[in-house]
Amino acid sequence: MFLATPSADPLSVARQQFLALLHCGAHLLEAGCGEGDDLCFFRQQGLVVTAFDARLAQARIASRRSGQPVRVCRIGQLHSVVPYDGIWARGALPAIAPDELSDALTHLAGLLKPAGALYCAFPHLSGQIVATGSTSGAPSTQAHLSLTRLDEDGLRRLIAPLPLQLQQCWESEQADGRWLHALLLRS
């Protein structure tokens, strides 16, 4: 299901759409937590959050900000004996090379409970990535980390063979370009 571009703040819309699929006290995995903005937000909402980031410096900042340990690993390195109610993967997936994205999504799906929700966002295939916060001639970190760009058709093709179903998706214009947001459910 495609939604028109929300007029509200895209991050707030994404968080509210995601939270609507979770119960109070749900156990959430944040894949690629960065400096911990979403980690802190979801903890304030009463969720139990396990977070990781591939970059040690980011994980340390997130840990200090949230007051909880943050793992340092890549998506494929994370293992859990208890499945998660939901996965918030706002920053991690665009940083994965396109030929590795299917394996990463399959791995994340395996960490979810049946019908568990997975939120992800990608720079839109048709949009330009705008370097924000960069100096003249130096690309921003966010633009540098965005290896994968998708539109809705590309996302549908990507998840077709995976144990994930598209619940809804929408696009937004942000300061750093056009983005595709998606809520997926484990089938």
Side-chain angles (χ1 to χ4, degrees):
M1 165 197 284
F2 178 78
L3 296 177
T5 305
S7 59
D9 170 50
L11 181 56
S12 295
V13 170
R15 286 173 169 172
Q16 293 309 313
Q17 296 287 344
F18 183 69
L19 283 171
L21 298 173
L22 301 173
H23 59 83
C24 184
H27 190 184
L28 171 69
L29 173 65
E30 186 180 359
C33 68
E35 294 183 354
D37 294 340
D38 295 322
L39 167 59
C40 292
F41 172 81
F42 287 122
R43 285 181 49 133
Q44 290 170 353
Q45 303 305 307
L47 301 179
V48 176
V49 184
T50 298
F52 73 90
D53 199 280
R55 298 160 294 174
L56 177 60
Q58 298 286 62
R60 283 182 175 158
I61 293 168
S63 183
R64 274 195 303 271
R65 290 184 68 202
S66 66
Q68 75 171 50
V70 173
R71 296 178 188 181
V72 178
C73 65
R74 297 187 179 280
I75 287 175
Q77 297 170 319
L78 185 72
H79 301 285
S80 178
V81 294
V82 178
Y84 296 95
D85 297 301
I87 297 176
W88 181 263
R90 179 168 69 107
L93 295 175
I96 295 174
D99 61 338
E100 298 172 7
L101 191 55
S102 179
D103 289 343
L105 282 167
T106 299
H107 186 75
L108 289 176
L111 297 172
L112 276 171
K113 290 180 179 177
L118 187 153
Y119 167 79
C120 54
F122 297 92
H124 196 277
L125 189 61
S126 69
Q128 286 288 98
I129 300 298
V130 178
T132 57
S134 61
T135 58
S136 179
S140 74
T141 303
Q142 187 64 27
H144 174 71
L145 293 177
S146 296
L147 302 175
T148 300
R149 296 163 47 129
L150 288 174
D151 60 9
E152 182 180 357
D153 289 339
L155 178 63
R156 286 182 183 280
R157 283 191 302 274
L158 177 66
I159 66 169
L162 306 181
L164 295 166
Q165 297 174 344
L166 182 61
Q167 171 76 10
Q168 69 184 92
C169 66
W170 64 98
E171 297 174 12
S172 70
E173 290 290 341
Q174 297 175 207
D176 58 351
R178 185 170 195 76
W179 284 76
L180 175 73
H181 306 265
L183 280 170
L184 310 174
L185 297 179
R186 179 172 175 200
S187 43

Short mmCIF file of all heavy atoms in Angstrom, two decimals, residues 129-184:
data_model
loop_
_atom_site.label_atom_id
_atom_site.label_comp_id
_atom_site.label_asym_id
_atom_site.label_seq_id
_atom_site.Cartn_x
_atom_site.Cartn_y
_atom_site.Cartn_z
N ILE A 129 20.77 12.59 -3.71
CA ILE A 129 21.21 12.66 -2.32
C ILE A 129 21.90 14.00 -2.15
O ILE A 129 22.85 14.32 -2.85
CB ILE A 129 22.19 11.52 -1.97
CG1 ILE A 129 21.50 10.17 -2.17
CG2 ILE A 129 22.70 11.66 -0.54
CD1 ILE A 129 20.30 9.95 -1.32
N VAL A 130 21.39 14.79 -1.24
CA VAL A 130 21.94 16.11 -0.99
C VAL A 130 22.89 16.01 0.18
O VAL A 130 22.52 15.52 1.25
CB VAL A 130 20.81 17.12 -0.67
CG1 VAL A 130 21.39 18.48 -0.37
CG2 VAL A 130 19.83 17.19 -1.83
N ALA A 131 24.10 16.44 0.00
CA ALA A 131 25.09 16.39 1.07
C ALA A 131 24.76 17.48 2.09
O ALA A 131 24.78 18.65 1.78
CB ALA A 131 26.49 16.61 0.51
N THR A 132 24.39 17.07 3.30
CA THR A 132 24.07 18.01 4.36
C THR A 132 25.19 18.01 5.38
O THR A 132 25.79 16.98 5.65
CB THR A 132 22.75 17.63 5.07
OG1 THR A 132 22.88 16.31 5.57
CG2 THR A 132 21.58 17.70 4.10
N GLY A 133 25.47 19.15 5.91
CA GLY A 133 26.47 19.25 6.97
C GLY A 133 27.88 19.01 6.48
O GLY A 133 28.74 18.62 7.25
N SER A 134 28.13 19.21 5.21
CA SER A 134 29.47 18.97 4.69
C SER A 134 30.16 20.28 4.36
O SER A 134 29.53 21.31 4.19
CB SER A 134 29.40 18.09 3.44
OG SER A 134 28.66 18.74 2.44
N THR A 135 31.47 20.20 4.27
CA THR A 135 32.22 21.37 3.86
C THR A 135 32.35 21.34 2.35
O THR A 135 32.15 20.31 1.72
CB THR A 135 33.62 21.36 4.51
OG1 THR A 135 34.28 20.16 4.13
CG2 THR A 135 33.52 21.46 6.02
N SER A 136 32.71 22.45 1.78
CA SER A 136 32.85 22.54 0.34
C SER A 136 33.81 21.47 -0.17
O SER A 136 34.94 21.38 0.28
CB SER A 136 33.36 23.94 -0.04
OG SER A 136 33.51 24.01 -1.43
N GLY A 137 33.30 20.66 -1.09
CA GLY A 137 34.14 19.63 -1.69
C GLY A 137 34.19 18.33 -0.92
O GLY A 137 34.73 17.35 -1.39
N ALA A 138 33.67 18.30 0.30
CA ALA A 138 33.70 17.08 1.11
C ALA A 138 32.28 16.54 1.26
O ALA A 138 31.41 17.22 1.75
CB ALA A 138 34.29 17.37 2.49
N PRO A 139 32.01 15.31 0.82
CA PRO A 139 30.67 14.75 0.94
C PRO A 139 30.30 14.52 2.40
O PRO A 139 31.17 14.27 3.23
CB PRO A 139 30.76 13.42 0.18
CG PRO A 139 32.20 13.06 0.22
CD PRO A 139 32.97 14.36 0.25
N SER A 140 29.02 14.61 2.69
CA SER A 140 28.58 14.35 4.06
C SER A 140 28.69 12.86 4.36
O SER A 140 28.71 12.03 3.47
CB SER A 140 27.13 14.80 4.25
OG SER A 140 26.25 13.91 3.60
N THR A 141 28.72 12.54 5.63
CA THR A 141 28.79 11.15 6.05
C THR A 141 27.57 10.39 5.57
O THR A 141 27.66 9.29 5.08
CB THR A 141 28.88 11.07 7.59
OG1 THR A 141 30.02 11.82 7.99
CG2 THR A 141 29.00 9.65 8.07
N GLN A 142 26.37 10.98 5.71
CA GLN A 142 25.15 10.31 5.31
C GLN A 142 25.16 9.98 3.82
O GLN A 142 24.81 8.90 3.42
CB GLN A 142 23.92 11.16 5.67
CG GLN A 142 22.60 10.45 5.43
CD GLN A 142 22.40 9.24 6.31
OE1 GLN A 142 22.96 9.13 7.40
NE2 GLN A 142 21.64 8.29 5.84
N ALA A 143 25.54 10.94 2.99
CA ALA A 143 25.59 10.68 1.56
C ALA A 143 26.60 9.58 1.26
O ALA A 143 26.37 8.73 0.42
CB ALA A 143 25.94 11.95 0.80
N HIS A 144 27.71 9.58 1.97
CA HIS A 144 28.75 8.57 1.75
C HIS A 144 28.24 7.18 2.11
O HIS A 144 28.58 6.20 1.46
CB HIS A 144 29.98 8.92 2.58
CG HIS A 144 31.04 7.87 2.54
ND1 HIS A 144 31.79 7.62 1.42
CD2 HIS A 144 31.44 6.98 3.47
CE1 HIS A 144 32.63 6.63 1.65
NE2 HIS A 144 32.44 6.22 2.89
N LEU A 145 27.43 7.07 3.15
CA LEU A 145 26.96 5.77 3.62
C LEU A 145 25.81 5.20 2.81
O LEU A 145 25.45 4.06 2.98
CB LEU A 145 26.56 5.86 5.09
CG LEU A 145 27.70 6.10 6.07
CD1 LEU A 145 27.16 6.24 7.48
CD2 LEU A 145 28.73 5.01 6.00
N SER A 146 25.19 5.99 1.95
CA SER A 146 24.03 5.53 1.19
C SER A 146 24.48 4.83 -0.08
O SER A 146 24.70 5.46 -1.11
CB SER A 146 23.11 6.70 0.86
OG SER A 146 22.59 7.24 2.05
N LEU A 147 24.62 3.51 -0.01
CA LEU A 147 25.02 2.72 -1.16
C LEU A 147 23.82 2.23 -1.94
O LEU A 147 23.91 1.99 -3.14
CB LEU A 147 25.85 1.51 -0.70
CG LEU A 147 27.11 1.80 0.09
CD1 LEU A 147 27.75 0.51 0.57
CD2 LEU A 147 28.09 2.58 -0.76
N THR A 148 22.70 2.01 -1.26
CA THR A 148 21.51 1.43 -1.87
C THR A 148 20.40 2.45 -1.96
O THR A 148 20.05 3.08 -0.96
CB THR A 148 21.02 0.20 -1.07
OG1 THR A 148 22.07 -0.77 -1.06
CG2 THR A 148 19.79 -0.40 -1.68
N ARG A 149 19.85 2.59 -3.16
CA ARG A 149 18.72 3.48 -3.40
C ARG A 149 17.60 2.64 -4.01
O ARG A 149 17.86 1.79 -4.86
CB ARG A 149 19.13 4.61 -4.34
CG ARG A 149 20.20 5.50 -3.74
CD ARG A 149 20.90 6.34 -4.76
NE ARG A 149 19.98 7.00 -5.65
CZ ARG A 149 19.98 8.29 -5.92
NH1 ARG A 149 20.87 9.07 -5.38
NH2 ARG A 149 19.11 8.81 -6.75
N LEU A 150 16.37 2.86 -3.56
CA LEU A 150 15.24 2.05 -4.02
C LEU A 150 14.01 2.91 -4.28
O LEU A 150 13.83 3.95 -3.65
CB LEU A 150 14.85 1.01 -2.97
CG LEU A 150 15.78 -0.17 -2.75
CD1 LEU A 150 15.29 -1.00 -1.56
CD2 LEU A 150 15.87 -1.04 -3.99
N ASP A 151 13.16 2.42 -5.17
CA ASP A 151 11.80 2.94 -5.29
C ASP A 151 10.87 1.79 -4.87
O ASP A 151 11.33 0.70 -4.52
CB ASP A 151 11.51 3.45 -6.70
CG ASP A 151 11.64 2.38 -7.78
OD1 ASP A 151 11.79 1.17 -7.44
OD2 ASP A 151 11.59 2.74 -8.96
N GLU A 152 9.56 2.03 -4.89
CA GLU A 152 8.62 1.00 -4.41
C GLU A 152 8.72 -0.28 -5.23
O GLU A 152 8.72 -1.38 -4.66
CB GLU A 152 7.19 1.53 -4.44
CG GLU A 152 6.20 0.52 -3.92
CD GLU A 152 4.76 1.01 -3.93
OE1 GLU A 152 4.50 2.17 -4.31
OE2 GLU A 152 3.89 0.20 -3.56
N ASP A 153 8.84 -0.18 -6.53
CA ASP A 153 8.94 -1.39 -7.36
C ASP A 153 10.21 -2.18 -7.02
O ASP A 153 10.18 -3.41 -6.94
CB ASP A 153 8.94 -1.02 -8.85
CG ASP A 153 7.58 -0.54 -9.33
OD1 ASP A 153 6.57 -0.85 -8.67
OD2 ASP A 153 7.55 0.15 -10.38
N GLY A 154 11.31 -1.48 -6.83
CA GLY A 154 12.55 -2.15 -6.46
C GLY A 154 12.45 -2.84 -5.12
O GLY A 154 12.95 -3.96 -4.94
N LEU A 155 11.78 -2.19 -4.17
CA LEU A 155 11.59 -2.81 -2.86
C LEU A 155 10.71 -4.05 -2.97
O LEU A 155 11.02 -5.09 -2.39
CB LEU A 155 10.96 -1.80 -1.88
CG LEU A 155 10.67 -2.33 -0.49
CD1 LEU A 155 11.96 -2.75 0.22
CD2 LEU A 155 9.92 -1.30 0.33
N ARG A 156 9.65 -3.96 -3.75
CA ARG A 156 8.77 -5.13 -3.94
C ARG A 156 9.52 -6.31 -4.57
O ARG A 156 9.35 -7.45 -4.15
CB ARG A 156 7.55 -4.76 -4.78
CG ARG A 156 6.53 -3.93 -4.05
CD ARG A 156 5.32 -3.64 -4.94
NE ARG A 156 4.37 -2.78 -4.28
CZ ARG A 156 3.47 -3.18 -3.37
NH1 ARG A 156 3.41 -4.45 -3.02
NH2 ARG A 156 2.64 -2.32 -2.82
N ARG A 157 10.35 -6.03 -5.57
CA ARG A 157 11.15 -7.09 -6.20
C ARG A 157 12.15 -7.69 -5.19
O ARG A 157 12.35 -8.90 -5.15
CB ARG A 157 11.90 -6.56 -7.42
CG ARG A 157 11.05 -6.38 -8.65
CD ARG A 157 11.87 -6.10 -9.89
NE ARG A 157 12.72 -4.93 -9.76
CZ ARG A 157 12.33 -3.67 -10.01
NH1 ARG A 157 11.10 -3.43 -10.41
NH2 ARG A 157 13.19 -2.67 -9.87
N LEU A 158 12.74 -6.82 -4.39
CA LEU A 158 13.72 -7.27 -3.40
C LEU A 158 13.12 -8.21 -2.38
O LEU A 158 13.70 -9.25 -2.05
CB LEU A 158 14.32 -6.05 -2.69
CG LEU A 158 15.32 -6.32 -1.58
CD1 LEU A 158 16.59 -6.97 -2.13
CD2 LEU A 158 15.66 -5.03 -0.85
N ILE A 159 11.94 -7.89 -1.86
CA ILE A 159 11.36 -8.70 -0.78
C ILE A 159 10.49 -9.85 -1.28
O ILE A 159 10.08 -10.70 -0.49
CB ILE A 159 10.57 -7.83 0.22
CG1 ILE A 159 9.33 -7.21 -0.41
CG2 ILE A 159 11.48 -6.79 0.86
CD1 ILE A 159 8.39 -6.57 0.57
N ALA A 160 10.20 -9.91 -2.59
CA ALA A 160 9.31 -10.96 -3.12
C ALA A 160 9.72 -12.36 -2.68
O ALA A 160 8.86 -13.14 -2.26
CB ALA A 160 9.20 -10.85 -4.64
N PRO A 161 10.99 -12.74 -2.75
CA PRO A 161 11.35 -14.11 -2.34
C PRO A 161 11.64 -14.24 -0.84
O PRO A 161 11.95 -15.33 -0.37
CB PRO A 161 12.63 -14.38 -3.14
CG PRO A 161 13.26 -13.04 -3.29
CD PRO A 161 12.11 -12.06 -3.41
N LEU A 162 11.52 -13.16 -0.10
CA LEU A 162 11.88 -13.17 1.32
C LEU A 162 10.66 -13.40 2.19
O LEU A 162 9.53 -13.17 1.76
CB LEU A 162 12.55 -11.84 1.69
CG LEU A 162 13.76 -11.42 0.85
CD1 LEU A 162 14.30 -10.09 1.36
CD2 LEU A 162 14.83 -12.49 0.87
N PRO A 163 10.87 -13.78 3.45
CA PRO A 163 9.74 -13.98 4.36
C PRO A 163 9.24 -12.65 4.94
O PRO A 163 9.02 -12.52 6.15
CB PRO A 163 10.32 -14.89 5.44
CG PRO A 163 11.77 -14.52 5.48
CD PRO A 163 12.13 -14.19 4.06
N LEU A 164 9.09 -11.65 4.08
CA LEU A 164 8.61 -10.33 4.48
C LEU A 164 7.52 -9.87 3.51
O LEU A 164 7.62 -10.12 2.31
CB LEU A 164 9.76 -9.31 4.45
CG LEU A 164 10.89 -9.53 5.45
CD1 LEU A 164 12.10 -8.67 5.09
CD2 LEU A 164 10.41 -9.22 6.87
N GLN A 165 6.51 -9.21 4.06
CA GLN A 165 5.43 -8.64 3.25
C GLN A 165 5.42 -7.14 3.44
O GLN A 165 5.64 -6.65 4.56
CB GLN A 165 4.07 -9.20 3.69
CG GLN A 165 3.93 -10.67 3.52
CD GLN A 165 2.61 -11.16 4.11
OE1 GLN A 165 1.96 -10.47 4.88
NE2 GLN A 165 2.22 -12.37 3.73
N LEU A 166 5.12 -6.42 2.37
CA LEU A 166 5.02 -4.98 2.45
C LEU A 166 3.69 -4.60 3.08
O LEU A 166 2.63 -4.88 2.52
CB LEU A 166 5.15 -4.36 1.05
CG LEU A 166 5.11 -2.84 0.97
CD1 LEU A 166 6.26 -2.21 1.77
CD2 LEU A 166 5.17 -2.39 -0.48
N GLN A 167 3.73 -3.99 4.25
CA GLN A 167 2.53 -3.50 4.93
C GLN A 167 2.11 -2.16 4.35
O GLN A 167 0.97 -1.95 4.01
CB GLN A 167 2.81 -3.37 6.44
CG GLN A 167 1.74 -2.69 7.26
CD GLN A 167 0.55 -3.58 7.50
OE1 GLN A 167 0.58 -4.77 7.22
NE2 GLN A 167 -0.53 -3.00 8.01
N GLN A 168 3.08 -1.24 4.25
CA GLN A 168 2.82 0.05 3.64
C GLN A 168 4.14 0.74 3.32
O GLN A 168 5.17 0.40 3.90
CB GLN A 168 1.97 0.96 4.52
CG GLN A 168 2.65 1.45 5.77
CD GLN A 168 1.72 2.27 6.65
OE1 GLN A 168 1.07 1.73 7.53
NE2 GLN A 168 1.66 3.55 6.41
N CYS A 169 4.09 1.66 2.37
CA CYS A 169 5.27 2.46 2.09
C CYS A 169 4.83 3.85 1.68
O CYS A 169 3.69 4.07 1.28
CB CYS A 169 6.16 1.81 1.03
SG CYS A 169 5.48 1.69 -0.60
N TRP A 170 5.74 4.79 1.85
CA TRP A 170 5.46 6.18 1.50
C TRP A 170 6.78 6.87 1.19
O TRP A 170 7.84 6.34 1.49
CB TRP A 170 4.70 6.89 2.62
CG TRP A 170 5.43 7.04 3.92
CD1 TRP A 170 6.11 8.15 4.34
CD2 TRP A 170 5.56 6.08 4.98
NE1 TRP A 170 6.65 7.92 5.59
CE2 TRP A 170 6.32 6.66 6.00
CE3 TRP A 170 5.09 4.77 5.14
CZ2 TRP A 170 6.64 5.99 7.17
CZ3 TRP A 170 5.41 4.12 6.32
CH2 TRP A 170 6.16 4.71 7.32
N GLU A 171 6.69 7.99 0.56
CA GLU A 171 7.86 8.77 0.19
C GLU A 171 7.84 10.10 0.92
O GLU A 171 6.77 10.59 1.29
CB GLU A 171 7.89 9.02 -1.32
CG GLU A 171 7.99 7.76 -2.13
CD GLU A 171 7.86 8.01 -3.62
OE1 GLU A 171 7.90 9.19 -4.06
OE2 GLU A 171 7.71 7.03 -4.36
N SER A 172 9.01 10.66 1.11
CA SER A 172 9.10 11.98 1.73
C SER A 172 10.24 12.76 1.10
O SER A 172 11.21 12.18 0.62
CB SER A 172 9.31 11.88 3.24
OG SER A 172 10.61 11.37 3.52
N GLU A 173 10.09 14.06 1.12
CA GLU A 173 11.16 14.97 0.75
C GLU A 173 11.80 15.43 2.05
O GLU A 173 11.10 15.90 2.94
CB GLU A 173 10.63 16.17 -0.03
CG GLU A 173 10.14 15.85 -1.41
CD GLU A 173 11.24 15.48 -2.39
OE1 GLU A 173 12.42 15.80 -2.13
OE2 GLU A 173 10.92 14.84 -3.40
N GLN A 174 13.10 15.28 2.15
CA GLN A 174 13.82 15.68 3.35
C GLN A 174 14.96 16.60 2.94
O GLN A 174 15.25 16.75 1.75
CB GLN A 174 14.32 14.45 4.10
CG GLN A 174 13.18 13.58 4.60
CD GLN A 174 13.63 12.28 5.23
OE1 GLN A 174 12.92 11.34 5.21
NE2 GLN A 174 14.82 12.22 5.80
N ALA A 175 15.61 17.17 3.92
CA ALA A 175 16.72 18.08 3.64
C ALA A 175 17.82 17.40 2.83
O ALA A 175 18.50 18.03 2.04
CB ALA A 175 17.30 18.63 4.94
N ASP A 176 17.97 16.07 3.01
CA ASP A 176 19.01 15.34 2.30
C ASP A 176 18.50 14.57 1.08
O ASP A 176 19.15 13.66 0.60
CB ASP A 176 19.77 14.41 3.25
CG ASP A 176 18.87 13.41 3.95
OD1 ASP A 176 17.63 13.52 3.83
OD2 ASP A 176 19.40 12.51 4.61
N GLY A 177 17.31 14.92 0.59
CA GLY A 177 16.80 14.30 -0.64
C GLY A 177 15.48 13.58 -0.44
O GLY A 177 14.84 13.66 0.61
N ARG A 178 15.06 12.86 -1.47
CA ARG A 178 13.81 12.11 -1.46
C ARG A 178 14.07 10.71 -0.89
O ARG A 178 15.06 10.06 -1.25
CB ARG A 178 13.27 12.01 -2.88
CG ARG A 178 11.92 11.35 -2.99
CD ARG A 178 11.35 11.54 -4.41
NE ARG A 178 9.95 11.25 -4.44
CZ ARG A 178 9.00 12.04 -4.00
NH1 ARG A 178 9.31 13.21 -3.49
NH2 ARG A 178 7.74 11.69 -4.06
N TRP A 179 13.17 10.24 -0.01
CA TRP A 179 13.33 8.95 0.66
C TRP A 179 12.09 8.08 0.49
O TRP A 179 10.97 8.57 0.43
CB TRP A 179 13.59 9.16 2.16
CG TRP A 179 14.98 9.62 2.41
CD1 TRP A 179 15.49 10.87 2.21
CD2 TRP A 179 16.06 8.82 2.89
NE1 TRP A 179 16.83 10.90 2.54
CE2 TRP A 179 17.20 9.66 2.97
CE3 TRP A 179 16.18 7.50 3.27
CZ2 TRP A 179 18.44 9.20 3.40
CZ3 TRP A 179 17.41 7.03 3.71
CH2 TRP A 179 18.53 7.89 3.77
N LEU A 180 12.33 6.77 0.44
CA LEU A 180 11.27 5.76 0.46
C LEU A 180 11.27 5.15 1.85
O LEU A 180 12.32 4.71 2.34
CB LEU A 180 11.55 4.66 -0.58
CG LEU A 180 10.58 3.49 -0.56
CD1 LEU A 180 9.23 3.91 -1.14
CD2 LEU A 180 11.15 2.31 -1.33
N HIS A 181 10.12 5.15 2.50
CA HIS A 181 9.95 4.54 3.83
C HIS A 181 9.06 3.32 3.67
O HIS A 181 8.11 3.34 2.87
CB HIS A 181 9.25 5.53 4.78
CG HIS A 181 9.93 6.83 4.88
ND1 HIS A 181 10.84 7.14 5.85
CD2 HIS A 181 9.83 7.96 4.10
CE1 HIS A 181 11.27 8.37 5.68
NE2 HIS A 181 10.68 8.89 4.63
N ALA A 182 9.33 2.27 4.44
CA ALA A 182 8.52 1.05 4.33
C ALA A 182 8.36 0.37 5.68
O ALA A 182 9.29 0.36 6.49
CB ALA A 182 9.15 0.08 3.34
N LEU A 183 7.17 -0.16 5.88
CA LEU A 183 6.89 -1.04 7.00
C LEU A 183 6.65 -2.43 6.42
O LEU A 183 5.78 -2.62 5.58
CB LEU A 183 5.65 -0.59 7.77
CG LEU A 183 5.87 0.55 8.73
CD1 LEU A 183 4.54 1.08 9.26
CD2 LEU A 183 6.76 0.11 9.89
N LEU A 184 7.47 -3.37 6.85
CA LEU A 184 7.39 -4.75 6.39
C LEU A 184 6.95 -5.63 7.56
O LEU A 184 7.27 -5.31 8.72
CB LEU A 184 8.75 -5.21 5.88
CG LEU A 184 9.45 -4.31 4.87
CD1 LEU A 184 10.86 -4.84 4.58
CD2 LEU A 184 8.65 -4.19 3.60
#
